Amino acid sequence: MTEEIEFILDSTEESMNGSIAHLEKEFLNIRAGKASPAMLGSVFVDYYGSATPLSQVSKISVPDARTITLQPFEKNMLHTIEKAIMVANIGFNPMNNGDMIIISVPPLTEDRRRELAKQAKAEAEDAKIGVRNVRKDANSDIKKLEKEGTSEDICKSAEEEVQNLTNIFIKKIDELLAAKEAEIMKV
């Protein structure tokens, strides 16, 4: 195979790996009942005029499966952090005891579990679309090379290789989704 084809295949695989990494990151934000610091990953606090991730203004810990505690690095940030968690609309009701913020993670209802499973399916479908778009781009790049004089056989085998990569990554997405759905539906 030519260098151009190798480059196309390598960049295709890299982009598809990016789709998987993004999906895994999105799955971390979908809570499955157990308390986790990742649940607060989308919360940003107004820290002296700039939006700062919660993890940079407080120590986040999980003492048990149903509780998250936040110990602000600066005591005057307690109310700001509390407000940011409320504004983030992630379904938590923070309590402030003067030193730290305590969040009780409520158990998921059956309806909420179904909603979260739907959300996970939507994220997986987005990842599949991303993989298919990468495949489309790679195939169009291969077609350009064919028009520029690369042999038809080499281009055909490259397109087959792109399709094999697509199949592998779609299967990986399905496996990740199945694992996340099982985690969400487990009581």
Side-chain angles (χ1 to χ4, degrees):
M1 275 195 224
T2 66
E3 272 183 42
E4 292 97 350
I5 299 273
E6 288 293 327
F7 177 75
I8 290 170
L9 292 175
D10 288 345
S11 63
T12 299
E13 187 170 1
E14 192 176 313
S15 296
M16 288 181 179
N17 271 324
S19 290
I20 296 286
H22 179 74
L23 177 66
E24 288 171 338
K25 186 174 169 241
E26 290 301 317
F27 276 177
L28 283 177
N29 291 335
I30 300 174
R31 74 183 186 103
K34 241 177 16 186
S36 158
M39 293 175 169
L40 300 172
S42 62
V43 179
F44 285 83
V45 178
D46 180 31
Y47 186 65
Y48 297 110
S50 66
T52 309
L54 190 57
S55 60
Q56 292 182 11
V57 294
S58 67
K59 177 181 176 259
I60 303 172
S61 57
V62 183
D64 61 56
R66 296 262 174 246
T67 311
I68 300 173
T69 60
L70 296 112
Q71 180 75 50
F73 298 136
E74 296 176 31
K75 202 163 193 145
N76 65 338
M77 292 297 294
L78 272 172
H79 294 293
T80 310
I81 292 172
E82 215 173 354
K83 186 177 173 193
I85 293 169
M86 299 283 244
V87 169
N89 197 18
I90 50 179
F92 293 143
N93 193 10
M95 293 176 290
N96 171 351
N97 71 2
D99 287 330
M100 61 174 36
I101 295 172
I102 302 164
I103 299 172
S104 279
V105 178
L108 295 172
T109 63
E110 188 65 28
D111 289 341
R112 184 68 179 135
R113 287 179 193 277
R114 284 198 186 100
E115 275 179 44
L116 292 173
K118 278 184 191 171
Q119 187 180 344
K121 276 184 185 156
E123 293 295 345
E125 196 52 46
D126 288 348
K128 285 181 183 180
I129 290 169
V131 166
R132 290 181 188 123
N133 285 339
V134 171
R135 174 186 63 190
K136 184 182 81 173
D137 294 344
N139 283 338
S140 67
D141 290 345
I142 291 168
K143 293 254 187 278
K144 281 181 197 165
L145 287 177
E146 191 175 356
K147 285 179 184 166
E148 292 171 5
T150 306
S151 92
E152 194 176 321
D153 291 342
I154 290 175
C155 291
K156 275 283 182 240
S157 68
E159 284 177 359
E160 287 171 12
E161 184 62 32
V162 168
Q163 186 57 48
N164 287 341
L165 281 173
T166 304
N167 294 343
I168 288 167
F169 281 94
I170 295 287
K171 185 174 183 243
K172 198 181 280 189
I173 289 169
D174 287 336
E175 289 167 1
L176 287 170
L177 175 62
K180 187 63 178 182
E181 282 183 324
E183 183 185 336
I184 289 170
M185 298 312 278
K186 189 174 93 183
V187 179

